[in-house]
Amino acid sequence: MPPLMATEFLCRVADVLSDYLGGLNEDLIKDNFVIVYELLDEMIDNGFPLTTEPNILREMIAPPNIVSKVLSVVTGSSSNVSDTLPGATASLVPWRTTDTKYASNEIYVDLVEEMDATINRDGVLVKCEINGEVQVNSHITGLPDLTLSFSNPSILDDVRFHPCVRYRPWESHQFLSFVPPDGQFKLMSYRVRKLKNTPIYVKPQLTSDGGTCRLSVLVGIRNDPGKTIDSVTVQFQLPSCILSADLTSNYGIVNILSDKTCSWSIGRIPKDKAPSLSGTLVLETGLERLHVFPTFQVGFRIMGVALSGLQIDKLDLRTVPYRFYKGFRALTRAGEFEVRS
């Protein structure tokens, strides 16, 4: 078998279970074991992946809700499997339900990006890249044939497509041609490497002597993306040799949890002053200086901009004569954004 097929299938199983159960953890699987078993029974047949498209699976197996749980207790029947097979399973486009009809036809395309960055103790940007997804929410009557093009597709690396995408148009002309599934789905994922800067800076400074350590952290906007940067957080783990910590900030809320995790919630960075955190850390008896330095995990969110620079050029609908509404959005948030001290 292709080596990555198993990994891809497991990722698809995780996505489907998260979609059905509203999350993925041990308790949810225990509480919904019957549905999980039924989904696996439809998704893989005799060792081969079969039906992995969420909207087709929803026609076959009803998602869990309070009514179905009450009925299963009353009637004693725990099956959620439909008696009829979805028509799409026998069509040439098994990811799309047949005979879909809408009063208003609309499609929304979201660029969702996560920035991974590593900044060393000297403040030098060691690594900065974007992992992004093109997420689509489609509600179009019939069997639409869509083309989506980008203004600058050459910046994309490691592209990965939904099965509905025809690979040859992308390979030859770098545009996406596809018949979309009905509802929400991930059209493609991509990576943009070697970015030169980050939207915000975090500057930690630690000085230790005589059994105590002074900590100060400055946060500010490095490159203004033109949109509001909000949901800014800074989190770090205090070293095990720290007995106590007294930390305050001039903006936001600082919390120190029982496992020595320090969380600083800033929210939106104000324009009139740079948020700063400062305080004193007390070391264990016998330690003069701090020898283990924390790594700062940074979080943020920017609505309305894709920091990779990727831009959607146009989205066209072929084969269907009627008009439809299309909308585009972008979101960038922090992924594994680390600042070392």
Side-chain angles (χ1 to χ4, degrees), residues 85 90 98 108 135 138 150 214 223 232 272 307 319:
L85 197 64
T98 56
Y108 300 95
Q135 298 178 358
S138 170
F150 302 101
R214 288 286 303 169
N223 292 288
V232 178
D272 55 341
L307 289 183
T319 71

Side-chain angles (χ1 to χ4, degrees), residues 17-38:
L17 292 180
S18 297
D19 185 47
Y20 259 78
L21 309 180
L24 189 57
N25 57 50
E26 186 178 352
D27 292 334
L28 283 172
I29 290 177
K30 285 180 178 179
D31 293 342
N32 301 276
F33 180 76
V34 173
I35 284 184
V36 172
Y37 196 93
E38 291 168 347

Side-chain angles (χ1 to χ4, degrees), residues 19-176:
D19 185 47
Y20 259 78
L21 309 180
L24 189 57
N25 57 50
E26 186 178 352
D27 292 334
L28 283 172
I29 290 177
K30 285 180 178 179
D31 293 342
N32 301 276
F33 180 76
V34 173
I35 284 184
V36 172
Y37 196 93
E38 291 168 347
L39 284 171
L40 290 174
D41 203 33
E42 297 295 342
M43 293 184 73
I44 194 163
D45 182 34
N46 198 30
F48 291 92
L50 188 62
T51 305
T52 60
E53 197 58 45
N55 55 1
I56 304 299
L57 287 167
R58 282 177 177 274
E59 286 192 49
M60 303 168 73
I61 301 168
N65 55 50
I66 295 175
V67 176
S68 65
K69 289 182 179 179
V70 170
L71 283 174
S72 68
V73 171
V74 173
T75 63
S77 172
S78 59
S79 177
N80 299 277
V81 181
S82 170
D83 294 331
T84 59
L85 197 64
T89 55
S91 74
L92 294 174
V93 280
W95 53 83
R96 184 173 179 84
T97 52
T98 56
D99 300 326
T100 51
K101 293 181 181 180
Y102 293 99
S104 60
N105 295 282
E106 53 193 19
I107 184 168
Y108 300 95
V109 180
D110 293 341
L111 294 180
V112 180
E113 298 188 339
E114 288 192 351
M115 174 175 278
D116 295 344
T118 303
I119 300 166
N120 68 12
R121 60 184 300 175
D122 299 321
V124 178
L125 187 63
V126 177
K127 183 194 81 168
C128 185
E129 63 184 27
I130 292 282
N131 291 296
E133 294 179 353
V134 180
Q135 298 178 358
V136 179
N137 192 358
S138 170
H139 299 285
I140 301 178
T141 302
L143 198 67
D145 198 333
L146 297 167
T147 58
L148 176 67
S149 59
F150 302 101
S151 302
N152 48 349
S154 59
I155 67 172
L156 302 179
D157 285 326
D158 300 337
V159 290
R160 185 171 153 218
F161 301 112
H162 187 278
C164 71
V165 176
R166 303 179 182 99
Y167 189 62
R168 187 165 291 177
W170 174 263
E171 197 174 33
S172 55
H173 302 293
Q174 290 199 306
F175 70 86
L176 301 178

Side-chain angles (χ1 to χ4, degrees), residues 18 47 62 75 78 142 152 161 168 173 178 183 191 200 209-210 215 217 224 241 247 259 264 266 294 306 320 322 340:
S18 297
T75 63
S78 59
N152 48 349
F161 301 112
R168 187 165 291 177
H173 302 293
F178 59 99
R191 181 179 297 176
I200 65 175
D209 193 20
L215 168 67
V217 184
D224 193 344
C241 60
L247 302 173
D259 61 351
W264 180 23
I266 300 171
V320 180
Y322 48 75
R340 296 170 183 168

Side-chain angles (χ1 to χ4, degrees), residues 246-261:
D246 181 19
L247 302 173
T248 58
S249 67
N250 66 348
Y251 193 86
I253 301 170
V254 181
N255 289 312
I256 302 177
L257 305 179
S258 58
D259 61 351
K260 293 189 176 181
T261 299

